[in-house]
Amino acid sequence: MAEHDDQERSLPATPQRIEKARADGRTARSRELATCLVLLAGSLVLAASGPRIALELKRLMARSLEFGRDTAFSDTALVERLGTYSVEGLMLAAPMFGAMALAGFAGTLGVGGWIFSSKAFEADFGRMDPARGLANMFSINSIAELLKALAKAALVAAVSLLVFDLSQAELIVAARAPVEHAAAGVSSTVIAGFLALSSSLVVIAAIDVPFVLWRHARELRMSRQDLREESRESEGDPQIKMRVRSMQREMARKRMMAEVSRADVVVTNPTHYAVALAYREGMNAPRVLAKGSERIAARIRELAAENGVPLLEAPGLARALYRHAALGAAIPPGLYDAVAQVLAWVFQLRRSRQGEAPEPVAPVHIVVPAELTVLEDRA
C-alpha cells in the first residue's frame, strides 16, 4: 500500500503545500549540521583562548584557596566566596558557551529557516499507536538514522585512534615531564584531538543536509488528486467561479450600456459592430464609451436611438475602432483624422437641429490607415 501511495505521489510539492507544512511545523532539519557547528565553534574558541582560560582558572583557584582566620571562622564568608568565584569561572567560559549557542542556533536555522507553529504543542495521540511505532522502526527514516549513527561512531573512532597514534610520543614525554609542562602538553593534544573530531563531523553534515532536504521534499510529494483538491480550495469551485465571472461581465456590460447616453456619436458597421464615442473639452483625444458586436451592438444602437445619439454607418471605421480601440481609452492616433471627420459631422448636425445651419451630409468613404484596416468579418 505504501509503495502504491509513493507511486501516486510523484509530483513535486506546490508552494501552497510547502507553506502549509511550515504552518504545521514540518520543515527540513539537520541535527548533524547543528552538532557539527556546535562542536566546531567550541573547539575553535578553545584552541584560540584555551591557554588564557587555563591561566585565568589557575589564578582563580589560587585566590579561592587564600583566606585568613576571619574567613575560616565566618558562617557566610565561604559561601559568598564560592558564589563569587563560581560566577568568575562561568564568565571565563562564557565566550566558548556563547559561540556554541550561536553555532547551534545557526545550525538549526541553516536548513529549513525559522518557523513557529502552535501545532507542535498539540497532543498527538496517534504517536501512541503501537502499529505506527512498529512501522516507524522499519521505515526508511529509521534505517537512515541508524546508518548515520553507525557512520558517525566509526568516523569518531577512526579519528580518535589516528589522533592517539600521532600523539603517542608526546603523551609518553608528558608522563615523564613536570606537572606544569605535562599539563600544557596534554591540553594541547586534547585541543588538537577535539578540533580533529569536530572537523571530521563536517563529512557527516555534508551528507546529512542533502539527505534531509531530499527526504522532506519526498514527504511533501503530491498526487494529481492532491493538486486538484488544492486548486479547488485555493481558487474555489469552478462552477461558482464561472457564475462570478458571468455576474462580473453582466455588471460591466450594464455600466457600459449606461455610458451610451453620454456619447456624441455611435459608429456602426452597420449591423455587426457598434462603437460609441465621446469628446469633451480637455480631452486629448476622443474616447470609447461602449463597443460591441452582434447582439450587444444591436443594444447599443437601440440605446443611442432612445437617447438621441447620432448613428453613423462607417463599416471600415467601425471595424477598426472595435478591433484597435480599448474600452474606456482614447482612440489610436492613427484614427484621429477619420474620427475628426465624424465629429465635424456631429457638431454640424447639432447646429442643424438647433436651426443654426442646414442639415449636413453624412460623411462617406472615410479613409482608415492600411495598418489599422480590418477585413470584413463577424469575429
Side-chain angles (χ1 to χ4, degrees), residues 78-102:
L78 292 178
V79 176
E80 292 175 356
R81 288 166 63 89
L82 177 62
T84 300
Y85 293 131
S86 297
V87 172
E88 291 184 13
L90 289 175
M91 292 300 294
L92 289 174
M96 184 175 67
F97 292 149
M100 294 174 69
L102 290 176

Side-chain angles (χ1 to χ4, degrees), residues 74-142:
S74 174
D75 295 333
T76 60
L78 292 178
V79 176
E80 292 175 356
R81 288 166 63 89
L82 177 62
T84 300
Y85 293 131
S86 297
V87 172
E88 291 184 13
L90 289 175
M91 292 300 294
L92 289 174
M96 184 175 67
F97 292 149
M100 294 174 69
L102 290 176
F105 189 73
T108 302
L109 300 185
V111 180
W114 169 266
I115 61 170
F116 178 80
S117 174
S118 60
K119 293 187 177 181
F121 300 98
E122 298 178 358
D124 185 6
F125 296 102
R127 296 180 179 177
M128 302 175 62
D129 185 3
R132 180 178 174 182
L134 187 63
N136 290 334
M137 289 179 60
F138 298 98
S139 64
I140 295 178
N141 294 340
S142 299

Side-chain angles (χ1 to χ4, degrees), residues 179-377:
V179 175
E180 293 185 357
H181 296 288
V186 171
S187 62
S188 62
T189 302
V190 171
I191 292 175
F194 195 36
L195 271 171
L197 286 174
S198 57
S199 300
S200 66
L201 293 179
V202 174
V203 178
I204 301 296
I207 297 174
D208 185 62
V209 170
F211 172 74
V212 296
L213 292 174
W214 170 82
R215 182 177 63 187
H216 182 65
R218 183 176 180 275
E219 291 174 350
L220 296 182
R221 287 186 310 184
M222 305 175 68
S223 64
R224 297 189 182 278
Q225 180 62 27
D226 293 333
L227 286 176
R228 286 192 290 268
E229 291 178 358
E230 183 182 89
S231 177
R232 187 178 297 111
E233 291 176 0
S234 60
E235 300 180 4
D237 189 280
Q239 295 183 352
I240 296 177
K241 289 174 58 180
M242 291 177 60
R243 177 60 178 168
V244 170
R245 285 197 293 266
S246 177
M247 293 176 63
Q248 291 174 341
R249 286 194 298 268
E250 184 63 27
M251 293 175 63
R253 188 178 298 117
K254 288 181 178 180
R255 288 195 299 268
M256 183 183 71
M257 292 302 181
E259 294 291 314
V260 175
S261 60
R262 300 175 54 246
D264 291 317
V265 63
V266 173
V267 182
T268 66
N269 191 33
T271 57
H272 301 323
Y273 301 104
V275 180
L277 301 175
Y279 180 74
R280 303 287 185 272
E281 185 177 354
M283 288 184 178
N284 294 328
R287 293 185 175 274
V288 177
L289 298 185
K291 69 175 184 176
S293 62
E294 306 298 342
R295 184 174 57 86
I296 298 177
R299 181 57 181 162
I300 291 175
R301 292 195 301 271
E302 292 176 3
L303 291 173
E306 293 174 2
N307 290 274
V309 177
L311 294 169
L312 177 65
E313 295 184 8
L317 179 59
R319 290 195 299 270
L321 287 169
Y322 180 82
R323 184 63 58 85
H324 299 293
L327 182 65
I331 64 174
L335 296 177
Y336 283 177
D337 292 340
V339 173
Q341 299 178 49
V342 175
L343 292 177
W345 171 75
V346 170
F347 297 147
Q348 293 175 8
L349 185 62
R350 288 179 182 175
R351 294 182 59 194
S352 172
R353 291 178 177 178
Q354 296 172 358
E356 299 177 358
E359 184 174 353
V361 178
V364 293
H365 305 300
I366 298 177
V367 179
V368 176
E371 63 273 14
L372 297 177
T373 299
V374 180
L375 298 177
E376 176 67 33
D377 58 38

